[in-house]
Amino acid sequence: MLVSTKGRYALRVMIDLAEQKSDEYIPLKAIAERQEISEKYLESIIKLLVRGKLLTGLRGKGGGYRLTRSPDQYTVGSVLRLTEESLSPVACLDTDSPSCPRAPSCRTLPLWKGLDKVINDYLDNITVADLVRQDNGGMIKR
């Protein structure tokens, strides 16, 4: 599993909006400036987050984006699953992958299934609120 810039930037956007602590809509330009992400690239990421109902947007003067729920209701796993093609460590575990003919005799499949479980359990137990609260040493406080 390799998390792309799209996934990493999506998490940065979610954290940025969570830190605003307001019900106001935050302009795309302000998010892009704070996060040092091009507005054009950020637009494509925000489209995914809006389509996935993680954000809501408002057009026009006073418009922008905001979270649809509180930061503790978003898991890192849910954000990454929306932005990444897969979180699976190997292709044969992808849900849209064709069935592997070697699966019944594969000696490594249990290893990959275990790693997949560890990855998903870990990412599903960290929220955007946890990322906002983490200390300066990079430790996530739960």
Side-chain angles (χ1 to χ4, degrees), residues 53-112:
K53 298 184 178 20
L54 276 65
L55 301 181
T56 185
L58 181 67
R59 294 184 191 268
K61 187 173 170 80
Y65 299 91
R66 69 179 186 193
L67 301 177
T68 58
R69 303 183 299 267
S70 72
D72 64 338
Q73 294 180 316
Y74 299 98
T75 67
V76 170
S78 67
V79 175
L80 292 179
R81 279 187 207 90
L82 188 62
T83 58
E84 302 300 315
E85 287 185 27
S86 172
L87 296 180
S88 298
V90 291
C92 64
L93 294 179
D94 288 341
T95 54
D96 59 347
S97 174
S99 177
C100 177
R102 292 189 39 84
S105 62
C106 182
R107 305 287 283 218
T108 60
L109 187 58
L111 167 77
W112 302 129

Side-chain angles (χ1 to χ4, degrees), residues 18-135:
E19 289 175 332
Q20 301 312 307
K21 296 183 180 159
S22 77
D23 289 336
E24 294 179 22
Y25 286 89
I26 309 300
L28 177 84
K29 183 175 184 163
I31 300 166
E33 286 175 5
R34 278 193 300 271
Q35 295 303 314
E36 299 176 340
I37 302 170
S38 84
E39 284 184 58
K40 188 164 182 79
Y41 190 46
L42 192 57
E43 279 178 12
S44 68
I45 293 167
I46 285 186
K47 273 185 191 176
L48 287 173
L49 297 173
V50 169
R51 195 175 316 132
K53 298 184 178 20
L54 276 65
L55 301 181
T56 185
L58 181 67
R59 294 184 191 268
K61 187 173 170 80
Y65 299 91
R66 69 179 186 193
L67 301 177
T68 58
R69 303 183 299 267
S70 72
D72 64 338
Q73 294 180 316
Y74 299 98
T75 67
V76 170
S78 67
V79 175
L80 292 179
R81 279 187 207 90
L82 188 62
T83 58
E84 302 300 315
E85 287 185 27
S86 172
L87 296 180
S88 298
V90 291
C92 64
L93 294 179
D94 288 341
T95 54
D96 59 347
S97 174
S99 177
C100 177
R102 292 189 39 84
S105 62
C106 182
R107 305 287 283 218
T108 60
L109 187 58
L111 167 77
W112 302 129
K113 284 183 176 181
L115 180 58
D116 188 55
K117 181 176 177 7
V118 169
I119 291 168
N120 283 285
D121 288 350
Y122 181 73
L123 296 176
D124 288 339
N125 281 294
I126 299 173
T127 67
V128 169
D130 293 329
L131 296 176
V132 170
R133 286 190 299 263
Q134 72 184 325
D135 69 19

